[in-house]
């Protein structure tokens, strides 16, 4: 057996070492002879070396070892080294198709995070031109100003992940929609009807709303959110309509806000692709601190979006 890549072995004194630093899996091993302490600490310098057999038991019990021939973490994406600690089976993202509509700095951050995470196909949708306000940490350069965002974003994807495709006849597995002001209520219903899981990212004056990830038929949809908002503010439908029918020119997107909001959006997509989608959760990311505030949403009783799947199997037609 060898240690999962990336784990540190740390001396704690008195014949004791600690393996790992994350409280979710770090363990202490005590009662060790000085030579055993030395042998474990040597794994920091030689991570592929076998764990001394007499010491492998507690580390294997904690899920911190791999079989000697296991190649986990040896190939991209960079995070693959953590997969043995986080997933029962390695995620298979190479066959996934993700579409991203709206490719300002936040949308481009989502795209590049997904490309780097091993998503096989990314469909890019935004014919607007790169402006000076788009240039920054997200990936757009001064020389890109005036070129269509989707074309430049495609080049950025190839720079990060040369094998990632940006064209396919297949339907996307999930759609990310980056909008200004509010999500279009009509588009929200169309998305729900399409059956394709989708994630809204809404950019406002000085914050970004990420989520919730909508898996049609499971958990709240975007119409549920509008109904909840209208319960609190009866004028919300008119306000939302005004926001989505008279869109103003996109404001500049702060690079640090785009980084946090785009990262949260990419993580939500990956939870779905990795088989454990986090639905009903959204994040409000405000300037200036960009610390995400979590909000949890329930299905609205008047929406009906989950009615078809809410019927218990035993009560349905045979
Ligand atoms: Zn709903």
């Amino acid at each position: 057996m060898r240690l999962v890549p990336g784990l540190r072995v740390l001396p704690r004194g008195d014949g004791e070492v600690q393996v790992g630093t994350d409280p979710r899996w770090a363990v202490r091993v005590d009662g060790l002879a000085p030579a055993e302490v030395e042998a474990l600490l040597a794994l920091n310098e030689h991570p592929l070396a076998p764990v001394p057999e007499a010491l492998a038991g507690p580390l294997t019990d904690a899920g911190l070892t791999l079989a000697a021939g296991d190649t986990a973490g040896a190939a991209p994406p960079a995070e693959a080294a953590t997969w043995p600690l986080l997933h029962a089976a390695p995620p298979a993202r190479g066959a996934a198709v993700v579409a991203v509509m709206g490719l300002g700095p936040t949308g481009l951050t989502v795209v590049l995070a997904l490309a780097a995470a091993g998503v096989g196909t990314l469909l890019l949708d935004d014919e607007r031109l790169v402006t000076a306000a788009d240039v920054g940490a997200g990936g757009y350069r001064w020389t890109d100003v005036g070129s269509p965002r989707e074309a430049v974003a495609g080049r950025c994807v190839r720079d990060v992940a040369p094998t990632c495709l940006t064209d396919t006849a297949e339907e996307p597995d999930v759609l990310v929609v980056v909008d200004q002001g509010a999500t279009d209520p009509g588009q929200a219903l169309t998305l729900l009807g399409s059956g394709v899981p989708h994630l809204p990212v809404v950019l406002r004056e000085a914050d970004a709303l990420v989520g919730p990830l909508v898996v049609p038929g499971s958990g709240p949809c975007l119409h549920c959110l509008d109904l909840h908002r209208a319960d609190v503010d009866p004028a919300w439908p008119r306000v939302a309509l005004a926001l989505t029918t008279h869109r103003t020119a996109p404001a500049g997107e702060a690079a640090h806000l785009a980084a946090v909001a785009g990262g949260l959006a990419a993580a939500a997509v990956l939870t779905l692709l990795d088989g454990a989608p986090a639905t009903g959760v959204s994040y409000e990311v405000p300037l200036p601190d960009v610390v995400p505030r979590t909000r949890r949403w329930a299905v609205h009783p008047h929406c009906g979006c989950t009615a078809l799947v809410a019927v218990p199997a035993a009560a349905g037609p045979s």
Side-chain angles (χ1 to χ4, degrees):
M1 308 298 281
R2 66 179 176 99
L3 277 186
V4 169
L7 288 174
R8 291 287 307 277
V9 182
L10 303 158
R12 296 178 59 90
D14 292 333
E16 181 176 296
V17 300
Q18 170 181 334
V19 180
T21 55
D22 189 313
R24 288 176 291 178
W25 48 71
V27 294
R28 290 184 291 123
V29 185
D30 57 11
L32 299 170
E36 292 175 319
V37 171
E38 287 301 314
L40 285 174
L41 290 174
L43 297 175
N44 288 324
E45 304 299 324
H46 306 285
L48 297 178
V51 177
E53 201 168 327
L55 307 174
L59 299 179
T60 300
D61 291 345
L64 304 185
T65 60
L66 295 172
D70 193 321
T71 57
E79 60 171 306
T82 65
W83 286 351
L85 301 168
L86 293 170
H87 303 284
R93 302 168 181 164
V97 180
V98 180
V100 181
M101 299 172 65
L103 298 171
T106 305
L108 184 61
T109 300
V110 178
V111 166
L112 296 183
L114 294 174
V119 171
T121 304
L122 287 161
L123 303 178
L124 309 174
D125 185 355
D126 193 341
E127 295 177 345
R128 290 172 291 181
L129 305 182
V130 176
T131 68
D134 293 335
V135 175
Y140 291 123
R141 308 168 189 162
W142 280 110
T143 49
D144 298 325
V145 173
S147 300
R149 281 174 167 177
E150 60 188 26
V152 179
R155 183 206 73 208
C156 294
V157 166
R158 287 187 290 279
D159 285 347
V160 168
T163 59
C164 182
L165 304 176
T166 53
D167 188 23
T168 179
E170 289 179 39
E171 286 291 307
D173 298 298
V174 54
L175 179 63
V176 180
V177 184
V178 186
D179 268 327
Q180 303 279 331
T183 304
D184 183 332
Q187 185 189 32
L189 290 174
T190 304
L191 287 170
L192 187 67
S194 74
V196 176
H198 47 279
L199 178 81
V201 179
V202 175
L203 308 175
R204 302 191 296 193
E205 287 98 344
D207 73 357
L209 311 182
V210 180
L213 175 67
V214 177
V215 178
S218 168
C221 72
L222 301 185
H223 188 50
C224 288
L225 267 65
D226 279 332
L227 291 172
H228 285 301
R229 289 176 174 132
D231 286 346
V232 178
D233 176 5
W236 170 250
R238 291 188 68 168
V239 172
L241 191 65
L243 281 169
T244 54
T245 53
H246 304 290
R247 292 192 192 275
T248 52
E253 299 169 33
H256 52 316
L257 176 59
V260 174
L264 287 169
V269 170
L270 293 174
T271 66
L272 177 79
L273 299 182
D274 294 350
T279 58
V281 183
S282 70
Y283 303 96
E284 299 177 1
V285 189
L287 288 171
D289 63 16
V290 300
V291 175
R293 276 74 159 166
T294 305
R295 291 196 64 178
R296 296 185 189 282
W297 301 87
V299 172
H300 194 283
H302 295 154
C303 183
C305 59
T306 58
L308 290 176
V309 295
V311 178
S318 57

